[in-house]
Amino acid sequence: MSGSTSPVTARPVLRQVLGLRRTFWAASAMELIERWGYFNMRLALGACLTLGVLDGGYGFDAGQRGIILTSLTALVACLPVVMGGLVDRVGFKRSLLLALALELLGSLVLASQAGFGAVLAGCLAVGVGVGVFKPAVQGLVAHNLGEASGALGWGLFYAVVNVAGILAQVLVGSSSNLALVFGLNAALAALNLLPLWLLVEPAPPPGAPARPLLPTWQEVGAILSATWRDLCSPALALLIVAISLFHLAHAQCLAWLPTHLVDWGTMRWEARAYYGVPDYYADWLVKANMGLVVVLTLPVAIVAGWLTPIRAMQLGTIVLGVGVVVAGSTQLFSVAALGLLVVTLGEVLVGPRLKDHLARLAPPGQEARYMGYSDVPQGLAWLVGLLVGDALYARLGDFRSLAREWLVEVGGQQRVVVEALQDWEVGTALALQMHVPTREALDQLWQLAHPQQAWWLLAALTVPAVLGLWAHARRLEPTGAAGRGEEAA
């Protein structure tokens, strides 16, 4: 855990870059290619699972769509936690080869089959491959970055993920040519064999047994038991809870913002604000988050390199809270864009330094296991957001819900009549009840219903997150946070 809570002495940036090893660059190339393929798949599935067969989709119903996407997301979020320790035991290159084989197989199935069972099986194969790939490639990066170059190295690695997201958006988007998309993904999985060949397998720690082709059941049990003990330890549990709150606030901000701007924004008038017509600019404002991450990550990594990982994460969490308040407390597109910029700044302060921090906590030979823990907060945030995120916004921030409530509570209309209104009729009904033009009715409801409350509640999550990081740091202090092999977490 060396230096996680102590000041960092950063080397000059150029010297850090020149000092990065070949394995780091090869692993980063593999991450770029693999993430590109995964984002391609998510975009294609999102567009085509319920799209009619005649239109190029699979033609599944909403229930089948939910099963496929939930299963895939659960595997990607949870499996790295389990697989990290096994990757450390059998070796990084073997694990990556297995991951690429599974992703190649799954992509070929998705490119050639259209039945529900086959599509689910293909997604599960890709999900397992991703679950093995993530701790393996990140464990390699952790093994090849020292403390002096950790902030910069993880910043570069984090930016690579968002470059892959941009490539997927630009080159694939919402394409319904499934054979083309998944054929490309199969080619990308095969292409990843080239940087895999360039990787240098780290030697086992001194005194560790030779890596087997497959671990024994006793070894698997011991690894899973050690993983469970880590997750239940107070220090790591505090870190996971704190970063889960960060991810929950961040993810819901990006999910709510397009709807918020369409509902309340001043860029669109009457019908476009009320009839549910997607706002092109609001949608692309959030997509710009990936581009902002790429632009901001390197300069922020250079500046934040002088901070300890915990201090950088605390600062980033505070910045996120400010950005959420700015983005959600306005009807102006320009101010919301400024808020998103601040939110992105918080993201690039926290995301790379979490991995930097876990890499420092990892005892020698356990890098992949500790990198797997970085996926737990995102998984928890995804689950909580799935359960309560949409309902919370609908209750506190959604224009149609708040307008209906005002028509009943203040306007005196019967609830059964108001609930029977179509979404596109709500704005007109509100304007008629208020005896004002539609645009003015929107502004008056903004002042009366205070939809900003949803965003204030979201920003409030950053307070216990900062306190959790502080408590996590305090739990590390008794160990001195000075020895990489100490078990503080």
Side-chain angles (χ1 to χ4, degrees), residues 299-372:
V300 169
I302 294 171
V303 174
W306 297 93
L307 298 171
T308 66
I310 290 177
R311 294 296 185 211
M313 288 188 287
Q314 287 175 319
L315 176 61
T317 304
I318 294 170
V319 169
L320 172 72
V322 173
V324 168
V325 170
V326 172
S329 297
T330 182
Q331 293 177 271
L332 299 175
F333 184 89
S334 57
V335 178
L338 175 62
L340 180 65
L341 176 63
V342 178
V343 165
T344 306
L345 180 59
E347 177 188 351
V348 298
L349 277 165
V350 173
R353 299 312 298 274
L354 172 64
K355 297 186 184 298
D356 184 19
H357 181 54
L358 287 169
R360 300 177 190 217
L361 293 180
Q366 298 180 29
E367 290 85 1
R369 191 171 105 201
Y370 273 70
M371 288 299 102

Side-chain angles (χ1 to χ4, degrees), residues 181-208:
V181 172
F182 293 116
L184 172 61
N185 281 9
L188 290 173
L191 178 63
N192 241 342
L193 294 173
L194 294 178
L196 176 64
W197 178 72
L198 295 173
L199 296 177
V200 177
E201 180 74 39

Side-chain angles (χ1 to χ4, degrees), residues 69-383:
L69 292 182
T70 301
S71 301
L72 176 63
T73 305
L75 276 177
V76 171
C78 301
L79 200 57
V81 184
V82 178
M83 296 304 302
L86 298 175
V87 169
D88 287 321
R89 184 70 187 99
V90 303
F92 295 99
K93 296 185 73 170
R94 288 174 183 169
S95 300
L96 288 169
L97 184 61
L98 172 63
L100 295 178
L102 288 169
E103 293 188 31
L104 175 60
L105 175 63
S107 297
L108 291 175
V109 169
L110 290 169
S112 59
Q113 304 296 318
F116 173 72
V119 172
L120 178 60
C123 288
L124 293 179
V126 173
V128 174
V130 173
V132 176
F133 183 91
K134 290 176 76 173
V137 74
Q138 292 176 23
L140 267 176
V141 172
H143 196 278
N144 281 270
L145 287 178
E147 285 183 29
S149 58
L152 179 66
W154 284 112
L156 290 170
F157 189 82
Y158 194 82
V160 158
V161 176
N162 290 273
V163 171
I166 293 171
L167 287 172
Q169 291 282 354
V170 172
L171 299 179
V172 174
S174 57
S175 172
S176 59
N177 190 332
L178 297 170
L180 176 63
V181 172
F182 293 116
L184 172 61
N185 281 9
L188 290 173
L191 178 63
N192 241 342
L193 294 173
L194 294 178
L196 176 64
W197 178 72
L198 295 173
L199 296 177
V200 177
E201 180 74 39
R211 293 186 173 116
L213 183 62
L214 290 173
T216 65
W217 287 111
Q218 291 81 0
E219 288 176 322
V220 171
I223 290 168
L224 295 180
S225 178
T227 299
W228 179 251
R229 286 197 305 271
D230 284 345
L231 293 173
C232 293
S233 65
L236 190 58
L238 285 166
L239 177 65
I240 288 172
V241 170
I243 301 301
S244 296
L245 292 172
F246 172 90
H247 279 300
L248 180 59
H250 178 263
Q252 292 308 306
C253 176
L254 297 184
W256 291 357
L257 192 55
T259 304
H260 173 79
L261 290 172
V262 172
D263 278 355
W264 303 102
T266 58
M267 286 191 68
R268 297 298 179 190
W269 290 85
E270 287 88 13
R272 291 193 65 83
Y274 302 127
Y275 299 160
V277 179
D279 189 311
Y280 176 87
Y281 298 102
D283 185 47
W284 274 95
L285 175 63
V286 173
K287 290 180 180 178
N289 171 254
M290 290 183 290
L292 289 172
V293 169
V294 174
V295 171
L296 291 175
T297 296
L298 184 58
V300 169
I302 294 171
V303 174
W306 297 93
L307 298 171
T308 66
I310 290 177
R311 294 296 185 211
M313 288 188 287
Q314 287 175 319
L315 176 61
T317 304
I318 294 170
V319 169
L320 172 72
V322 173
V324 168
V325 170
V326 172
S329 297
T330 182
Q331 293 177 271
L332 299 175
F333 184 89
S334 57
V335 178
L338 175 62
L340 180 65
L341 176 63
V342 178
V343 165
T344 306
L345 180 59
E347 177 188 351
V348 298
L349 277 165
V350 173
R353 299 312 298 274
L354 172 64
K355 297 186 184 298
D356 184 19
H357 181 54
L358 287 169
R360 300 177 190 217
L361 293 180
Q366 298 180 29
E367 290 85 1
R369 191 171 105 201
Y370 273 70
M371 288 299 102
Y373 299 153
S374 67
D375 289 292
V376 178
Q378 285 183 305
L380 290 175
W382 166 76
L383 178 61

